[in-house]
Amino acid sequence: MSLIEAKVEVPPALADAINDILLEESFELWSIVEDILAKRAWLVGIFETEAQAQESWAVLQPLIQELPATATLELKTLAEAEWRDSYKAHFHAWQFGRLHWVPIWEKETFQLPAGDAVLWLDPGLAFGTGNHETTRLCVERLVEIAMRTGAKGHVVDAGCGSGILALSAAKLGFSNVRGFDNDPEAVRVSEENAALNGLEKSVRFSVDDLVSGLAGVEANVLMANILANVLIEFRRVLVASVAPQGTLILSGILSAEREQVITAFREVAPDWKFTSQTLGEWSDVVLTRP
């Protein structure tokens, strides 16, 4: 199988702003790649066809302010080996507490400290290596809950990406864990990552949206690392899916959007406890049901 790489060189000074646009507008097939030493940056997308790449660029290009006229789209056909390896340079091992998240290609050399646990990951083209602030915010909250109250209850990862949050819950000892995503590729990668860790029988993944995925759910811990506008739109569904004394962890929220998210959720959960923390330019919002 071959895919099409779409590549546009952009000024390094615009890299952060472009990355924000990609996340805010859900351009999931595009990413920013930077060469710090060479002081160069590129906007890179992976598509099934040239027509799909051209169409996506036509929508994205007008959203990028101050894009120079010299920024032109270059298309290249990638063999399967090329596109499967392209993301590896951007995923590095990291940890929080006693849990480590490590690329599967480092398995032969990684030394796990005594008493710690490791989650091996091969994210493929799905979002979620843990290297992004939005994922880290969720993971840190999950680890804190497991330490504070124990790994018990029903955990749901809404918009599971590569499955990192759901699989982390299982590694922490939660036994009733489920994840879902509306992207079949994300679910496929999540299931592959479950198999890499021997967790295929411990975590259930499915292709669902927020409405079908949360139908009849009463989660003790519900994680939704999506986007602020989607969280606000489906706030009633999310709040209704949390069990009494349960926790709702919201992420994918720019710091500038945090108060908007809090205000929207206070309308539907006025008596819940709210907390928030910031990492870089991103924030989470955590709600605890009475």
Side-chain angles (χ1 to χ4, degrees):
M1 175 184 177
S2 62
L3 293 177
I4 302 299
E5 177 192 69
K7 192 172 185 179
V8 181
E9 184 162 4
V10 298
L14 293 181
D16 287 343
I18 294 174
N19 193 54
D20 290 345
I21 292 171
L22 300 182
L23 289 166
E24 291 171 6
E25 303 296 333
S26 299
F27 284 96
E28 297 175 350
L29 298 180
W30 293 91
S31 61
I32 286 288
V33 176
E34 295 184 78
D35 186 330
I36 303 299
L37 295 179
K39 297 182 179 180
R40 299 178 70 185
W42 296 266
L43 178 60
V44 181
I46 304 295
F47 299 90
E48 293 183 358
T49 66
E50 289 191 9
Q52 184 185 26
Q54 295 278 11
E55 181 180 348
S56 183
W57 175 238
V59 176
L60 175 57
Q61 183 179 14
L63 301 178
I64 304 174
Q65 298 180 2
E66 302 178 9
L67 187 69
T70 55
T72 56
L73 183 69
E74 299 178 4
L75 300 177
K76 174 186 175 182
T77 300
L78 297 178
E80 182 173 1
E82 289 182 279
W83 64 260
R84 281 196 174 274
D85 289 342
S86 63
Y87 57 86
K88 292 184 178 181
H90 310 290
F91 178 23
H92 308 286
W94 66 286
Q95 75 173 102
F96 183 77
R98 65 178 185 86
L99 190 54
H100 300 250
W101 293 265
V102 183
I104 189 63
W105 52 89
E106 294 183 13
K107 191 171 185 177
E108 297 298 324
T109 58
F110 181 76
Q111 298 294 319
L112 181 66
D116 286 8
V118 61
L119 182 67
W120 306 109
L121 287 171
D122 188 351
L125 296 177
F127 178 80
T129 63
N131 288 146
H132 196 276
E133 290 93 335
T134 59
T135 310
R136 291 189 179 220
L137 286 165
C138 284
V139 165
E140 291 182 8
R141 294 290 193 174
L142 185 61
V143 172
E144 289 170 356
I145 290 171
M147 294 174 60
R148 185 177 69 251
T149 64
K152 55 187 179 182
H154 183 29
V155 178
V156 177
D157 179 8
C160 60
S162 64
I164 182 173
L165 297 178
L167 296 173
S168 295
K171 280 289 184 178
L172 289 168
F174 290 94
S175 58
N176 186 4
V177 184
R178 177 172 164 256
F180 65 85
D181 202 292
N182 62 3
D183 181 359
E185 173 66 12
V187 173
R188 185 191 67 77
V189 170
S190 294
E191 290 174 342
E192 286 186 352
N193 283 326
L196 286 177
N197 292 276
L199 296 173
E200 56 265 66
K201 294 184 179 179
S202 302
V203 183
R204 295 167 291 131
F205 291 105
S206 63
V207 178
D208 281 295
D209 57 28
L210 284 174
V211 175
S212 63
L214 294 176
V217 168
E218 278 200 353
N220 300 98
V221 180
L222 173 56
M223 299 174 287
N225 180 17
I226 310 177
L227 292 170
N229 63 315
V230 177
L231 296 173
I232 291 172
E233 180 182 355
F234 291 93
R235 61 191 182 277
R236 295 184 185 278
V237 174
L238 290 163
V239 165
S241 303
V242 180
Q245 299 184 323
T247 302
L248 174 59
I249 303 171
L250 307 174
S251 191
I253 304 165
L254 287 167
S255 297
E257 302 169 326
R258 180 177 60 176
E259 292 305 317
Q260 181 184 2
V261 172
I262 291 175
T263 298
F265 274 83
R266 282 198 188 281
E267 294 176 358
V268 295
D271 56 343
W272 292 36
K273 177 183 176 182
F274 284 70
T275 60
S276 179
Q277 61 184 11
T278 299
L279 185 60
E281 60 183 342
W282 298 92
S283 296
D284 67 9
V285 175
V286 178
L287 295 74
T288 304
R289 181 174 176 177

